[in-house]
Amino acid sequence: MQINSETVRDIVEHRLHQADIEKLLHRLSEDERAQLFFRVTEFVRRASALIDIGNRVYDTLSLDVLFPRLMEVVSETLNAERSSLFLYDADTQELFSRVMQDSIVGDVRFPSHLGVAGAVFASGQAEIIENAYADARFNRDIDEKTGYLTRNILCVPIKNKGGDVIGVTQALNKRDGAFDLDDQKLLEALSLQASAALGNAQLHENLERARREEALLLEVGSAIASEIHMNPLLEMIVDAATRLLDAERGSLFLYDPRRGELYSRVAGGVVGGAIRIEANAGLSGECFTRNAPINIADAQTDARFNPEVDRRTGFHTRNMLVAPLTTKNGNKVGVIEVLNKRHGAFTQTDTRRLVALGAQAAVSIENAMLFEQVSEARSYNEDILRSMSNGVLTLDAAGTILKVNESASRILRCQETQLIGKSVEENLGSRNPWLAGALRQVGSAGKTVIAMDTELVLEHGPAVSVNATTLSLRNAHNQPIGFLVVLEDVTREKRLRSTMSRYLSHAVVEKVLENDGEMLEGVDREVSVLFSDIRGFSSMTETLGARETVSMLNQYFACMVDVVYAHNGILDKYIGDMIMAVFGSVFPGEDDVDNAVAVGTKMMSALGELNARRLAAKHAPIRIGVGIGTGRVVAGNIGSPRRLDYTVIGEKVNLAERLEAATKFYGAGILICDTTASRLRRSVRLREIDIVRMPGMNHPVTVYEVLDHHTEESFPRGELVLPAFAEGIRQYRLRQWSRAAKSFRQALDANPADQPSRIYVERCERFGRQPPGADWDGVASIRTS
């Protein structure tokens, strides 16, 4: 007799009377009665399972609790070795389950169209697979990884009350044979019974996640809104993004409009080394340019992804989400990217969350940028004030000192704390009425007041010479808000100018001051040295007396020094009636030699004018000699700490003095050495006088006479004298004494006062009587004292 399910249900639900049941049992064989008993027992067991699953699922809203409970009931009820349950995630279009791994509940996810579960989810129809390995949809990877062998599968859709599929339930490997339709109906019933609880739990979990994310966004928003320092802010934003989206790593790029680049200040959670890329390059550049988020499910297969960073860092990027950082007014400040969602891929919900975070972050970053710019500007201004050699004081409208830089503290000899908060009248004004007057003038008229080389009297220490500028301090609306006083300490400059003006021309003094006197330190350089001396000065002093001598010298020096200064010479010193001038020791130039020779020539001309005045006053004329030597010397401040003089020392200084002394011997006005003659750039009328070994000198010097200052009266018939003298020199050096003497006599005939020609006539006559030895080189030794 066939026993169907309806009969079993009627017996269990007491729809059959006891008499009817007894009649049914009487008709059944022993085996049939055993089969009926088994089926009734199984039905009761399964009904109990449905009741049990109801009891188990409706006391919790946690999927972490529901998943293992339901799988346990399914396995027990269907007598299966294993079971699994998957719900659909609409955001990711995946089926997911919760499994226990190392005491931690984690997600297992896969696309909702894959495998047997994906097929049942897509069709909404249950399937019984008698041989799993024979079904192409079955994924053997899990079996191979775990060593488990799946024989058969029962998979049914989980539907809600509206008939929508919200997941699937699977049972694996029935212990006593194969799964049948009764098992399928039972599992469908179990799944239907559990669907409401699962739906509620999933909804509860989504709401809880949304609540947590909203709380996190609020927390992050409050935190980043209060942070104005850039690096901590960027760290905070990246940390919030990775926590919010459950990502492994994050990076943030800011836009540099000056270079058209995106640069990282926080990459992978590390602050520092900047990575720079073009603003339109790569995924970040595309996101920034389009001002739209980009979600990459598989970064390694996307052509826009640059794997170089992964290769350098050893990090492996699976997926990534990039969002722009844009303020409400459309100002793009950069992009933020998060990498590798820990469970699955980034979803549309993740995209919305990151965009929302980015909008908040953009405003805070913009504020931090403004703060950074203001801080940099303030720091820059502070650095400027600190670096200035001039003292700067800022005062409010009442004259109270608000700011003092280091130079002002140094000039005023007061600590900053002793000045700030006190009135300028209290600190300086009572001793310096000119400063109080300048403040009143600026306050009333608004014009800048400049006081040059003014004495600033201090409470402690000597007064300071300053150039003071007082001006009105105004705000952005051009309204006066106080005063600015700038003090330039010119004490040293004033002292230096006073000292140097005694031996330098005004122009040279200014150049020295421009270079802060550095060139006054010892240096080795080529210069031209000029000595001039008054002839017969000793006898003149005996005749004139002390008062007249001083008057004469003052007149003479005034004329000569003006000539030196007019040609950028340095008055080195007075040595009695002697003048020593140097050209090129402070500021070497190409015209130093020409200037020295020009000064010698103009000294002679100026002397002629002075003598004309002296003769008119019935005073004796002054005669001088000038010697000029050129070569390398040591120039600098020389002396003891108590007294320093800027001068030059060296052999060429001695040579110039010897040349001046030689003018007496040769009866010449100006003598120069061969180096001076060779360095001349301008045309100068010269004649070679002699080759001389000066006293104390190791090498002979060729001596030339400068003739530019002569007139026909002072050097008559020069056009005859000079050729004859030159020929005489030529014959003299050829040891042709008589011919040489003849030429020198011709020169004397033209100008009987020519002393060099007379000297050579005497030499030729002497050598004619007693010729020099074969080693004679034409060099003469003379006495210059």
Side-chain angles (χ1 to χ4, degrees), residues 401-412:
I401 299 174
L402 301 178
K403 183 68 181 177
V404 179
N405 73 344
E406 292 179 3
S407 294
S409 295
R410 173 179 52 78
I411 293 171
L412 300 177

Side-chain angles (χ1 to χ4, degrees), residues 176-344:
D176 53 356
F179 293 108
D180 55 22
L181 289 176
D182 287 341
D183 295 324
Q184 176 181 321
K185 289 179 180 179
L186 177 58
L187 188 54
E188 286 175 341
L190 291 172
S191 299
L192 180 62
Q193 180 79 355
S195 65
L198 288 169
N200 291 337
Q202 190 173 14
L203 177 60
H204 174 74
E205 188 173 90
N206 290 339
L207 290 174
E208 281 295 305
R209 184 187 301 116
R211 186 189 62 77
R212 289 195 304 272
E213 290 166 356
E214 183 179 349
L216 179 58
L217 278 173
L218 182 61
E219 175 192 343
V220 170
S222 299
I224 66 177
S226 61
E227 180 59 68
I228 57 175
H229 296 92
M230 184 62 78
N231 282 345
L233 173 64
L234 299 181
E235 286 185 276
M236 193 180 297
I237 293 169
V238 171
D239 178 66
T242 53
R243 282 193 296 141
L244 182 65
L245 302 182
D246 197 25
E248 293 180 4
R249 185 173 290 189
S251 300
L252 193 149
F253 289 84
L254 297 179
Y255 177 55
D256 183 350
R258 290 175 297 179
R259 300 174 63 172
E261 294 177 337
L262 293 171
Y263 67 98
S264 70
R265 285 176 61 163
V266 177
V270 178
V271 179
I275 301 172
R276 285 186 171 269
I277 59 174
E278 296 295 325
N280 58 356
L283 286 164
S284 297
E286 181 178 338
C287 171
F288 179 79
T289 303
R290 289 171 46 202
N291 197 29
I294 299 175
N295 188 347
I296 304 298
D298 187 352
Q300 300 296 329
T301 60
D302 195 293
R304 297 166 295 180
F305 175 70
N306 181 8
E308 181 60 30
V309 177
D310 276 12
R311 280 195 290 268
R312 290 204 311 265
T313 62
F315 185 76
H316 178 72
T317 304
R318 299 189 310 274
N319 48 44
M320 63 188 301
L321 177 60
V322 190
L325 301 173
T326 307
T327 62
K328 289 182 179 179
N329 58 9
N331 181 31
K332 297 188 290 185
V333 299
V335 296
I336 185 170
E337 60 182 34
V338 286
L339 313 177
N340 292 4
K341 189 174 178 69
R342 297 183 190 279
H343 305 291

Side-chain angles (χ1 to χ4, degrees), residues 496-507:
L496 190 61
R497 181 182 282 110
S498 174
T499 302
M500 296 182 64
S501 62
R502 292 181 298 179
Y503 51 87
L504 298 178
S505 68
H506 176 74

